[in-house]
Amino acid sequence: MLRAFLATTQEHCLYAFFHLAAYTGARRGELLNLRWTDVDLDKPQIHITGTAAVLDRQRVEGTTKSGRSRVVSLDPSTVRVLKAHRARQDEERLRLGESWKGGGAYVFTTGWGDPLFPDTPSSLMPKLIETHNKQNPRAQLPHARLHDLRHIHAATLLLAGVPVHVVAARLGHADPAITLRVYAHVIYKQAATAAEVFARVING
């Protein structure tokens, strides 16, 4: 019974993790370093202050890639996901009692409350896609890495016309020039339609 509960708990945690990764564009380590004190569901936003990584097979924490913290806004659906995840985590803590190890600090934890090991969500991503494709032969998903969710987030915003400097700040790039270089193909595609957009606006 407990093993099944913990397995379900892990699924809920990883669902929230993948959702936040896709809807914020944050890096894997940044999300795994996230504490509930960094989450404000009223504003709503998250405060990214550091990162988690693996060094000599040990989980370690440090500063973000740019060395700076940043604030990333959240949409209503992400707020709902995080509220449900926090309620589930509170339930786990009460159920396990003294066996809970996390102390309630980290947003993403194992079923026992320990902070997630960085390789866990990365290794699960292709397995989830494989499972989905087996169950949905007519709605196949392409192979993707966890980091691809960050690229999808950035590309979607740029194609929707969000200014490069805004996307850069959201991704945590130290300079918008980095965003321009990494997503040059997306910006080129957008630039190709600029003449049509201008004519449409002028011609009413």
Side-chain angles (χ1 to χ4, degrees):
M1 179 79 70
L2 180 58
R3 182 176 295 179
F5 172 76
L6 292 175
T8 303
T9 288
Q10 191 75 80
E11 290 176 5
H12 281 273
C13 176
L14 288 168
Y15 169 75
F17 179 89
F18 288 132
H19 182 99
L20 198 59
Y23 280 71
T24 64
R27 300 177 179 91
R28 177 188 73 173
E30 294 172 341
L31 295 180
L32 293 178
N33 184 71
L34 204 64
R35 272 80 161 170
W36 282 114
T37 52
D38 300 321
V39 179
D40 187 336
L41 297 179
D42 294 321
K43 285 194 174 178
Q45 61 189 25
I46 58 174
H47 189 200
I48 294 176
T49 61
T51 189
V54 179
L55 183 63
D56 294 331
R57 299 183 181 180
Q58 297 295 318
R59 187 184 191 278
V60 296
E61 296 183 352
T63 61
T64 62
K65 192 172 182 178
S66 67
R68 297 181 294 186
S69 63
R70 69 184 187 278
V71 173
V72 180
S73 60
L74 304 175
D75 67 284
S77 70
T78 302
V79 170
R80 289 192 295 271
V81 168
L82 286 176
K83 283 183 177 180
H85 171 56
R86 184 165 60 184
R88 181 82 185 187
Q89 196 179 72
D90 289 341
E91 180 186 350
E92 297 160 16
R93 189 183 304 111
L94 290 174
R95 181 161 181 164
L96 292 176
E98 294 182 357
S99 297
W100 179 265
K101 301 177 182 179
Y106 290 93
V107 174
F108 300 109
T109 64
T110 66
W112 294 104
D114 290 318
L116 278 183
F117 198 72
D119 288 344
T120 300
S122 293
S123 62
L124 192 62
M125 183 84 172
K127 293 178 182 178
L128 289 175
I129 293 176
E130 181 181 356
T131 299
H132 169 86
N133 289 343
K134 285 181 179 178
Q135 296 175 351
N136 303 274
R138 296 184 179 180
Q140 297 284 293
L141 293 175
H143 170 75
R145 306 163 301 156
L146 174 58
H147 196 70
D148 290 330
L149 295 179
R150 177 174 167 85
H151 292 317
I152 291 170
H153 184 82
T156 300
L157 292 179
L158 291 169
L159 288 172
V162 176
V164 172
H165 71 278
V166 174
V167 177
R170 192 168 177 83
L171 296 178
H173 287 164
D175 189 325
I178 299 174
T179 313
L180 286 168
R181 184 170 65 251
V182 175
Y183 298 100
H185 62 292
V186 177
I187 296 168
Y188 176 80
K189 182 177 180 180
Q190 187 184 50
T193 65
E196 295 178 8
V197 171
F198 180 84
R200 190 162 57 246
V201 172
I202 293 299
N203 296 332

